[in-house]
Amino acid sequence: MVARPVDDRDLHAYVDGHLDSQRRIEVEACLAEDPASAERVNAYRSQIDQLHELFDDVLREPATPAMDDLQNRLSGQIAGNDNYRRGWLRSPFARMAAAVVLLLAGGTGGWVLRDPEPTVVEKQQPPLQSFAQEAVQAHTFYASDNRFAVEMGGEDRGALDSWLSERLGRRIFGPDLSSAGFRLIGGRSLPTATGVGAQYMYENDGKRRLTLFVGTPKAGQEAAFSFVQKGDVSMFYWVEGSIAYALIGRLDRDQLMNITQTVYRELKIRNVPPAPPPAAPPPPEAAKQPPAAQPVGDVKRKDM
Amino acid sequence: MSRFGTELEVQIASLRRYARALLRDKNDADDLVQESLARALSRADRFKPGTNLRAWLFTIMHNVHVNQVRQKISRPDEVPVEEHEMRLITPARQETSLELRDMSRALAELPDEQRQVLLLVALEGLKYDEVATVLQIPIGTVMSRLSRAREAVRIKLSNEGGVPLRRVK
């Protein structure tokens, strides 16, 4: 198979997360042999990080009264034209799901919104279910382990994020959940049936633990959103483009829902690169794993 | 909050961040956002729910900004780049590293048209075709401005690496 040569535009699209998986693999192969381009890619990526560091604080500033007022009026004006059932909206779960659909739509150019009747739980594909199962297993297994709960501590967030991003082959990060009372204690990478997974672990003052599991199951691009409860463990999981997230903890649904909100916001704020366009499913050859799952043994282990 | 309200809240936060990065001054940036929201409100009947709210809002803000710049030209009160930088580094960020200061300076030194494209893509995560819509330029122009902006910043930062920060009087 002869790949189309990688040009400047591909490099930018690669940095910005706009390539489909097939093309991404081709660009990565090319970067491995072209140190100059690889250096540019790294520089462009750190520009993105630095811009966020410089300006993300703005997102947490309270809106001015004038802004609040305009927002309410604008919302009333436009939402008045919305044609979906009022009753449906009253359930907090449905509101939550709607919020997810919208947040995802923001990241993917609005294509999700074309469905006038958003469904709460879209049809699940087996890879996603297996992802969710593995996320719960990883939670139960490691959240109860005080000695080896994490592979790498969360003191240096940047280092943890770049290490896990490298493992996954995508730029990911552990959101800041301090507003919900949870601090990041660290993370680990682990093999799953659908490639490398990353687990971020959080803890609150009551020593209660929460994990965010991030993976790349090939479940398609739909904005699925589901809630699952097994015993006293609750989980919300969803997909943004090619990245799947599961938030798991021994919390009731409302508590977990609130924290899930925070996670969405943080993801939105930090602008995890959006998914490849929904239109083009990769050809069958692309089914080869992008980043090969590596043995778990070769990573830094950091005792808690 | 309604479905639309939630999305709107997120998009307004994003508009504010972009405006701040573009104008640097908090008051100027918030004024720009408020004026843009007022404009959006006045033409809310033209927005179809289910279409791209983000592109719609950013386009409105871009147009308002262009108008403001035109008005500024007729009554200029220009501030040197250095003063902008001082304002950017807010007290809450005293730990701001030298790299961030260099980044901030490199951004300030870009031509407006390149800075806009870089911020929309790299900070706000807009897709290239959305940027073309918002700025009303062809997508090829988006790509060439993005490419020039990223290279200019990269070269500036790599030159400044290791060299002590020039003292600004």
Side-chain angles (χ1 to χ4, degrees), chain A residues 8 12-13 16 40 44 47 52-53 56-57 59 61-62 64 77 82 84 102-103 106 108-109 269 271, chain B residues 1 3 8 10 13 16-17 20 34 44 49 52 54 88 93 121 123-124 127-128 147 150-151 154:
Chain A
D8 193 55
H12 290 287
D16 296 318
R40 277 175 61 204
Y44 297 167
Q47 289 176 19
H52 282 286
E53 275 194 65
D56 278 0
D57 284 352
L59 297 164
E61 287 176 12
T64 64
Q77 192 94 25
D82 263 359
Y84 57 98
L102 287 163
L103 289 170
T108 54
I269 283 168
N271 254 327
Chain B
M1 193 187 296
R3 167 179 105 134
L8 187 60
V10 169
R16 284 185 93 185
R17 176 174 59 183
R20 187 77 59 88
Q34 277 159 213
N52 191 337
R54 172 166 74 167
L88 175 72
R93 286 207 150 272
V121 170
L123 183 61
E124 299 308 332
K127 291 190 290 188
Y128 305 144
S147 183
R150 280 181 160 158
E151 273 301 282
R154 183 179 74 85

Side-chain angles (χ1 to χ4, degrees), chain B residues 50-70:
Chain B
T51 59
N52 191 337
L53 176 69
R54 172 166 74 167
W56 186 66
L57 288 173
F58 272 93
T59 305
I60 290 176
M61 189 156 90
H62 174 69
N63 291 338
V64 171
H65 175 57
V66 168
N67 282 337
Q68 284 184 348
V69 170
R70 263 191 218 127

